[in-house]
Amino acid sequence: GAIFIGHTTARAADAPGCVDPTGFKRFEGSHIVLCNKKDFAEYTLQTGKLKAWNYTTKKPEFEGKEETEGKLAQSLYLVQPGPSSAEVFRNYKTDLTQRGFSILYEGKGLDIGADQGRVFESNGPGGQLVGYSPNAARYLAAQKDENGQRLFVSLYVIEFEGGFHGKITPAKGQVLVRLDVVTAGEIKDRLVIVTAPEIKAGLGSKGKVVIYGILFDFNK
C-alpha cells in the first residue's frame, strides 16, 4: 500500500517558501529541501530515453519529448533513511495512476540514459545532489487533463551516491525526489489599457506617460 501523507501546506522541516504542489502528496517522512516556482515558463518534458547530453550547450537529446509551457513548480524532497528509490517511485506512480494520470514514459537506472542526472542538475533545484547518482535512478513522465487545464509531471527519484551541496548532506543511499509539475492553461493577461484620465494624470504629475499596445502599420 502507498505510504503517503497528503497535506499541501508547508511543514516545519521544509525549506522556507516551499510547499507541495497543489493536489500532490509526499512520501512519508520526507521534506522539501529546495524548490523553484515560476508563474510561467517553457518546459521540455522528457518522454523517451536520453540519447545524448551536450556538455558544451548543456542541452539534452531525447528519443521523445513534449514542449510544454505554463505554471512551473519544482520541488526537491529528501526522504528519511531507509526506503529505496524503487519503493518511493512505486508509491508515486501508484498515486498518479489512481488520480487518473497517464504515464507517458518511465525508465530506470542507466536504461534512461547514462547522463540522465545532468538533465535535472542543469534545470531546477538540486545541482549535484541529483546529478551524480544514476545507478538506482527512476524516472517517469505523466499527464492529466483536469478542470480545463493540462498537468504535466516529471518525476526523478534517486539513491544518493555523491555530489556536493553547501547546505544539504544526504547519507549514502538516502532517497531524493525531484518532482516537476507544469500546469498548462490560460496565460494571465498582464497587458493593461491606459485610459484618457490616466494619461492626463500622468502628464500632470510626472510630465510623461508610458503607453503600451499601440501597433503601427509598416513604415508608418
Side-chain angles (χ1 to χ4, degrees):
I3 45 177
F4 268 95
I5 40 183
H7 302 291
T8 55
T9 54
R11 319 264 176 80
D14 290 342
C18 296
V19 297
D20 299 311
T22 303
F24 286 81
K25 302 175 183 178
R26 66 175 68 184
F27 192 84
E28 184 178 55
S30 63
H31 61 280
I32 306 174
V33 289
L34 295 167
C35 66
N36 178 46
K37 299 174 184 175
K38 294 179 180 177
D39 287 339
F40 183 79
E42 296 176 331
Y43 186 92
T44 300
L45 181 70
Q46 177 182 350
T47 58
K49 181 178 179 178
L50 175 68
K51 292 196 294 185
W53 174 259
N54 188 315
Y55 279 83
T56 303
T57 63
K58 297 190 184 305
K59 296 291 184 183
E61 182 182 347
F62 299 122
E63 288 185 355
K65 64 180 181 178
E66 180 143 358
E67 300 296 345
T68 72
E69 56 183 28
K71 185 177 181 181
L72 175 63
Q74 298 173 298
S75 306
L76 182 68
Y77 294 85
L78 181 63
V79 180
Q80 64 184 3
S84 66
S85 60
E87 179 185 2
V88 174
F89 179 83
R90 184 179 69 247
N91 275 265
Y92 271 98
K93 181 182 175 183
T94 299
D95 183 64
L96 288 169
T97 53
Q98 287 178 347
R99 289 177 54 197
F101 277 86
S102 299
I103 307 300
L104 303 176
Y105 168 73
E106 70 174 289
K108 63 181 180 179
L110 299 179
D111 290 340
I112 317 170
D115 290 316
Q116 181 64 49
R118 301 288 178 265
V119 176
F120 291 95
E121 178 189 3
S122 64
N123 173 28
Q128 291 185 6
L129 294 179
V130 293
Y132 288 73
S133 305
N135 291 305
R138 300 287 195 280
Y139 173 79
L140 70 74
Q143 77 172 45
K144 178 187 180 184
D145 291 337
E146 184 176 75
N147 300 324
Q149 296 177 317
R150 177 163 290 182
L151 300 177
F152 296 96
V153 171
S154 173
L155 175 72
Y156 189 56
V157 183
I158 63 164
E159 293 177 12
F160 184 72
E161 298 171 40
F164 175 77
H165 189 279
K167 298 180 179 179
I168 304 159
T169 309
K172 190 170 180 63
Q174 193 168 2
V175 171
L176 287 155
V177 177
R178 246 291 290 279
L179 177 66
D180 293 359
V181 179
V182 179
T183 305
E186 293 184 14
I187 303 170
K188 183 178 179 182
D189 188 354
R190 295 195 175 184
L191 297 178
V192 296
I193 298 173
V194 182
T195 63
E198 289 172 329
I199 295 173
K200 183 177 180 181
L203 291 173
S205 62
K206 299 179 182 178
K208 64 178 182 180
V209 65
V210 180
I211 301 175
Y212 300 97
I214 297 178
L215 304 177
F216 297 90
D217 287 335
F218 182 70
N219 271 348
K220 295 292 185 181

